[in-house]
Amino acid sequence: MTPTYHTEYKQNIYNWSLVRDCVQGEAAVKRKNTLYLPIPSGMINAQSADSYIGNYSTYGLDNKRNIELYNPNKHTNPAYQAYLHRAHLPGMTDHTLRGLLGIAMRKHPTVSLPSSLQYMIGDATMGHLSLINLFIESVSEVLQTGRCGLGLDVDDMGQIKFVMYKAEDIMNWDYDKKLNKVLLKEEKLEDWLSDECYEEYKILEIEDGVFTVSEFYADNSEPDEVTVPVVMGRPLGELPFKIVGALTNEPNVDPAPLLPVALTALQIYMKNADLSQAEYLTCNPTLIITGASPDEAPVTTGSTVAIVLNDPMSKVYYTETDSSGMTHLLKHIEKLSDEASQHGASLIAQQKGEKESGDALRIRQAASTSTLHSVVNTVGDAIESLLKTASNWMGVDSAQILFEPNTEFSESGLDAGQMMSLMNAYLNGGISLETLVDNFRRSGMLQSGDDTSTELSRLKAQSETQPVVTTQQPEGGI
């Protein structure tokens, strides 16, 4: 079949690739050559040549070929190859991603499953990832591209498993109040000894109230196979597939949370290339000789090479360089680094407690970068929803299903001064006991797993059996 791409897919595929390249690091970005680092106009007409990448004979013939093939600094334009080689991409995109995942997993999600689905805790996917690792992978995907897909399938042993699809694999979809149809791409290896892949396409859809799967190979216009999945002897009446977004779990493409960080990293990369080029030219000025024939010009220069010219009017000098622009470039790079840090910090900012209208909330969310808080929630909601679908397939009450991610990202508790300020505010009537206890809960001071109401119940029971301690002093002082 000839695959068709959704308009939003085509509009976002470049951004997804950009973020992934920045997460992979400098080598991945450099392999794209001029896509991220244009050739300066002064280098365009430089004579092309076989790129020289060094002597790798000690690595063996096969590895030498691999290094030559995948060397990120390889280019046929020698001037641009040197320019590319000197450029440096900061690792801030990958660093931000790993930091956010670490914060998200400071505490594992709370999971409760019926006995028939307990195996999913350690083996939740076709690739045998645990449920927690599936959660981490999904959060990572959504942070990079703003979306991923999660579906359910049944393996050869009859066990229900999750299948995860990257944003690039969700090619098209039909949505009318609910997801009715989705076109997915799967890449499969010819065999484990080969890196050759072939593409297979799947259309998941609801036809006449029944879930069907149509499978196509790339060259076939008609489906190679159409199946009606049956679970517990019954066909399915709903699409066991969720598109997970950064803001909502609707199919429209949400902004990629890490895109601003990646774009800033590429700006620094280009500025760094110019700065490194300027440093090279400043430290290696051009030698100029006047009043001498070409035969008299030295082949090499340096502190140990004497230049002797017959004409006493001849002149030998180096071009003068102006390095003031380098300072400007360096300040710009520092400013961009600060901007990237601000983007990374904004991803962690949690929603405030004030209530907002639906329109105000949507406007604010669209105007700001998706936060880690919202990503963790959308992924958790999708996993829990599909777990409930799996429980329904098994004939188990879905009320037994719980998948609740941690959204308390604070690393540290209250210090002594903050605790004293809260206590004084409570004792002076500035805040309620419930607010006081809730602040202690958020700082991790309560017993693990306890909520505010549990601690308040303890305090009430304690007050009925023990005298109340106050800070009131006896009349007349001490």
Side-chain angles (χ1 to χ4, degrees):
M1 66 173 294
T2 301
T4 57
Y5 296 90
H6 196 281
T7 300
E8 290 189 54
Y9 181 103
K10 292 183 284 188
Q11 291 171 343
N12 286 276
I13 185 64
Y14 172 79
N15 287 341
W16 299 339
S17 178
L18 182 153
V19 175
R20 291 198 190 280
D21 287 338
C22 288
V23 167
Q24 290 181 39
E26 184 172 302
V29 168
K30 285 188 171 183
R31 287 192 190 100
K32 299 296 178 67
N33 289 160
T34 57
L35 180 64
Y36 300 130
L37 187 64
I39 298 180
S41 58
M43 299 179 185
I44 291 176
N45 295 322
Q47 185 176 0
S48 296
D50 292 335
S51 62
Y52 176 74
I53 58 173
N55 182 9
Y56 298 105
S57 58
T58 57
Y59 289 92
L61 182 60
D62 288 340
N63 283 335
K64 181 175 181 293
R65 288 171 179 166
N66 288 332
I67 292 172
E68 289 176 347
L69 180 62
Y70 293 106
N71 185 347
N73 299 304
K74 184 178 180 180
H75 200 274
T76 56
N77 183 320
Y80 179 74
Q81 178 171 285
Y83 180 68
L84 179 69
H85 206 152
R86 283 190 286 268
H88 171 62
L89 174 79
M92 59 180 59
T93 314
D94 175 57
H95 178 77
T96 302
L97 175 61
R98 287 186 284 110
L100 291 172
L101 292 176
I103 292 170
M105 291 306 297
R106 191 174 71 88
K107 293 180 181 178
H108 281 195
T110 302
V111 181
S112 177
L113 299 177
S115 57
S116 58
L117 294 176
Q118 280 292 318
Y119 65 88
M120 277 195 171
I121 292 178
D123 187 8
T125 73
M126 289 294 189
H128 307 293
L129 289 178
S130 69
L131 198 57
I132 298 301
N133 283 336
L134 170 67
F135 172 73
I136 298 172
E137 287 287 327
S138 301
V139 171
S140 175
E141 283 298 313
V142 176
L143 285 171
Q144 292 178 73
T145 62
R147 66 179 359 211
C148 73
L150 290 175
L152 293 179
D153 203 346
V154 179
D155 66 10
D156 295 335
M157 303 296 293
Q159 290 186 328
I160 301 171
K161 297 293 181 68
F162 280 88
V163 182
M164 189 182 75
Y165 292 86
K166 295 182 178 182
E168 295 88 342
D169 299 329
I170 309 170
M171 301 169 61
N172 212 333
W173 55 90
D174 178 57
Y175 181 79
D176 183 14
K177 296 183 180 178
K178 65 178 181 178
L179 190 63
N180 298 311
K181 184 185 297 186
V182 61
L183 172 61
L184 303 172
K185 178 178 67 176
E186 295 182 353
E187 288 189 352
K188 299 183 178 181
L189 287 173
E190 294 284 355
D191 60 71
W192 70 278
L193 289 174
S194 170
D195 58 1
E196 296 294 328
C197 295
Y198 67 91
E199 291 182 344
E200 184 177 311
Y201 303 96
K202 287 185 177 181
I203 295 179
L204 313 183
E205 61 183 322
I206 299 293
E207 279 192 354
D208 300 324
V210 177
F211 172 56
T212 62
V213 180
S214 303
E215 297 186 12
F216 298 79
Y217 292 108
D219 299 330
N220 297 350
S221 58
E222 296 296 327
D224 295 275
E225 185 178 3
V226 178
T227 58
V228 178
V230 175
V231 178
M232 304 292 286
R234 303 187 307 272
L236 307 176
E238 61 178 320
L239 209 65
F241 187 86
K242 298 288 183 183
I243 293 179
V244 187
L247 295 173
T248 70
N249 285 346
E250 295 184 359
N252 54 290
V253 178
D254 288 336
L258 280 177
L259 180 60
V261 180
L263 289 172
T264 305
L266 287 178
Q267 283 291 317
I268 294 175
Y269 172 61
M270 290 186 285
K271 298 294 181 184
N272 181 270
D274 291 339
L275 180 62
S276 297
Q277 178 77 353
E279 289 174 340
Y280 171 78
L281 295 176
T282 300
C283 296
N284 297 272
T286 302
L287 179 67
I288 297 178
I289 301 176
T290 62
S293 65
D295 294 337
E296 293 180 291
V299 178
T300 59
T301 61
S303 59
T304 61
V305 177
I307 298 177
V308 180
L309 302 174
N310 294 325
D311 187 350
M313 300 300 293
S314 299
K315 292 183 179 180
V316 179
Y317 59 93
Y318 284 101
T319 55
E320 294 184 4
T321 56
D322 181 6
S323 61
S324 59
M326 294 169 60
T327 303
H328 174 73
L329 270 175
L330 189 58
K331 288 182 177 179
H332 196 175
I333 289 174
E334 291 173 352
K335 182 179 178 181
L336 287 169
S337 297
D338 291 340
E339 181 181 328
S341 298
Q342 293 171 7
H343 285 312
S346 72
L347 296 175
I348 309 171
Q350 298 191 34
Q351 306 296 333
K352 301 296 184 183
E354 297 85 357
K355 293 183 179 180
E356 298 177 88
S357 68
D359 288 341
L361 177 62
R362 282 190 291 273
I363 291 171
R364 181 174 59 77
Q365 287 179 329
S368 63
T369 306
S370 307
T371 66
L372 179 62
H373 187 272
S374 68
V375 170
V376 164
N377 277 330
T378 55
V379 173
D381 289 346
I383 290 177
E384 185 177 72
S385 176
L386 288 170
L387 285 171
K388 289 182 177 180
T389 298
S391 71
N392 291 333
W393 290 1
M394 301 295 293
V396 179
D397 184 8
S398 61
Q400 300 181 45
I401 298 292
L402 176 67
F403 189 91
E404 185 176 309
N406 166 59
T407 55
E408 298 292 341
F409 303 136
S410 175
E411 286 286 349
S412 58
L414 300 169
D415 59 33
Q418 291 170 327
M419 284 190 287
M420 184 61 69
S421 297
L422 282 169
M423 286 298 299
N424 286 335
Y426 165 65
L427 293 171
N428 292 317
I431 59 175
S432 67
L433 177 60
E434 184 174 357
T435 299
L436 174 69
V437 173
D438 191 56
N439 274 276
F440 288 162
R441 178 189 63 80
R442 290 175 178 274
S443 68
M445 295 178 64
L446 302 188
Q447 294 183 23
S448 178
D450 284 358
D451 55 18
T452 303
S453 60
T454 302
E455 185 66 15
L456 287 172
S457 298
R458 286 202 193 100
L459 288 171
K460 183 179 179 181
Q462 178 178 300
S463 66
E464 293 173 353
T465 58
Q466 297 180 13
V468 177
V469 179
T470 69
T471 58
Q472 184 177 356
Q473 295 182 2
E475 294 183 4
I478 299 176

